[in-house]
Amino acid sequence: MTRHLARAWRLVLLALLLAFLFRPALFEPVLRPLTENNAPAIYDKGDLLSLTLSHLKITAIATLGAALLAVAMAVFVTRRAGADFLPLSRSVVNIGQTFPPVAVLALAVPAMGFGEAPTLVALFLYGLLPIFETTIAGLTGVPRPVVEAARGVGMTGWQRLLQIELPLALPLVVAGLRLSAVIGLGTATIGSTVGARTLGEVVIAGLLSDNLAFIVQGGAIVGALAILLHDTLSWLEQRLARRA
């Protein structure tokens, strides 16, 4: 019963999000009380659907890039040849958590200019740690008897990695991907401060014009996207765990 209610809630949230993105005028009566001096209740300085798609694109590119590097590094340091590089690898992936994204943006803008590029760098660095650590946990958590049995039947190191270790570790890899993607989705809003097209534009416009309606709708869209993304990847993680 609880599962059905949760599924129904997600469908309602998705329907409301799509309705707001495609027909925002329908929600004007709800947002109108949040405005003053006849200010617009619906963000009118850009297309909300376009901003949302751009926001998702930036998050997806940065998360995919972080996943590729983090998984590759985790595989390397869990091999005998790369075990000595584990402390160095942990130091590298911790850079994104050590420096706030705003600081990374400030450092990247002089070298890369304004726009999406510095935002992608900040999100990329910020997303490495969760994927790296969960991938290591997944690979090192593969039962040794399973690995030894694979070695006993003559499987090579690459075959054991691709056919045994990574498939069994995949649920934890997806868990790290989920954390990275959700963090990146929320953090991407600051990209608008350096010229990236994200939903941060809506929030910033609300702050500059003292329009609470803009702030609420920008935050609500990001929040709804984060919930839906988290639930989708959690469902995938559970499916992979059952299969493994």
Side-chain angles (χ1 to χ4, degrees):
M1 184 67 177
T2 304
R3 184 179 300 176
H4 292 305
L5 287 175
R7 186 177 300 173
W9 153 247
R10 294 187 196 104
L11 291 175
V12 169
L13 181 62
L14 177 60
L16 287 173
L17 176 61
L18 292 175
F20 186 78
L21 292 178
F22 284 95
R23 292 289 185 271
L26 296 175
F27 296 82
E28 185 172 1
V30 178
L31 295 169
R32 175 58 61 188
L34 302 178
T35 63
E36 296 179 354
N37 301 322
N38 294 320
I42 303 297
Y43 183 67
D44 58 352
K45 296 178 175 60
D47 181 58
L48 287 173
L49 178 59
S50 176
L51 285 174
T52 300
L53 293 176
S54 178
H55 191 110
L56 289 173
K57 182 194 73 173
I58 292 172
T59 303
I61 292 173
T63 304
L64 178 59
L68 292 174
L69 179 59
V71 171
M73 292 173 63
V75 168
F76 176 66
V77 298
T78 52
R79 306 304 97 181
R80 185 175 302 174
D84 292 339
F85 293 92
L86 178 57
L88 176 61
S89 299
R90 279 210 164 101
S91 297
V92 171
V93 300
N94 270 295
I95 290 176
Q97 304 292 328
T98 303
F99 294 96
V102 174
V104 177
L105 287 176
L107 293 173
V109 166
M112 309 179 73
F114 287 88
E116 291 185 2
T119 305
L120 288 171
V121 171
L123 297 183
F124 170 81
L125 293 175
Y126 214 55
L128 286 171
L129 181 62
I131 305 173
F132 179 76
E133 291 295 348
T134 56
T135 303
I136 287 181
L139 290 172
T140 57
V142 175
R144 298 311 303 171
V146 175
V147 178
E148 293 302 325
R151 183 180 289 113
V153 299
M155 296 180 71
T156 65
W158 279 108
Q159 287 175 326
R160 293 194 300 271
L161 174 65
L162 297 177
Q163 299 180 31
I164 303 296
E165 296 179 64
L166 280 177
L168 290 177
L170 196 55
L172 280 176
V173 176
V174 173
L177 187 67
R178 169 172 52 83
L179 291 173
S180 179
V182 172
I183 291 172
L185 190 68
T187 309
T189 55
I190 66 171
S192 292
T193 61
V194 294
R197 296 196 72 245
T198 73
L199 289 163
E201 285 187 21
V202 186
V203 177
I204 293 172
L207 292 172
L208 293 176
S209 61
D210 196 24
N211 190 331
L212 184 58
F214 285 2
I215 300 173
V216 168
Q217 64 196 267
I221 295 173
V222 174
L225 289 172
I227 292 172
L228 293 171
L229 180 61
H230 179 277
D231 287 350
T232 300
L233 292 177
S234 293
W235 171 83
L236 178 60
E237 179 186 341
Q238 293 167 6
R239 289 290 300 268
L240 291 171
R242 286 197 295 268
R243 181 176 297 180

